[in-house]
Amino acid sequence: MRITIFVDKRHAKDILRSLSHELVHHKQNCEGKLANMKAGEGYAQKSPHLRNMEAEAYLLGNGFLRFGSL
């Protein structure tokens, strides 16, 4: 239950965007949407569910949608 964001040589807006993206994944985890998921090479691309979770994190994390929208 930890988020690590690399900040060296990155613009503050990019750092905040990464943080908000990862916080959406935390929300997904709290809601049980990431339960029993196995990570490995290409895991997010191979699983339709995880592709949807990643799309949601990009949309919500980048501010295109509000949290209550999905």
Side-chain angles (χ1 to χ4, degrees):
M1 304 300 283
R2 178 179 299 161
I3 295 174
T4 301
I5 303 292
F6 295 95
V7 299
D8 289 348
K9 299 177 184 172
R10 293 178 69 190
H11 193 280
K13 287 192 297 187
D14 185 44
I15 295 166
L16 292 172
R17 190 178 304 116
S18 293
L19 178 59
S20 64
H21 176 95
E22 296 306 326
L23 287 171
V24 173
H25 285 313
H26 175 67
K27 176 182 178 288
Q28 292 167 339
N29 189 47
C30 289
E31 295 170 342
K33 293 179 179 179
L34 300 179
N36 303 316
M37 295 291 145
K38 302 229 190 269
E41 189 173 335
Y43 68 96
Q45 291 75 34
K46 294 175 184 175
S47 165
H49 175 70
L50 289 178
R51 277 197 309 270
N52 288 335
M53 295 296 95
E54 192 63 20
E56 180 181 58
Y58 276 112
L59 290 171
L60 295 175
N62 288 338
F64 289 116
L65 298 173
R66 289 176 289 159
F67 272 98
S69 297
L70 295 179

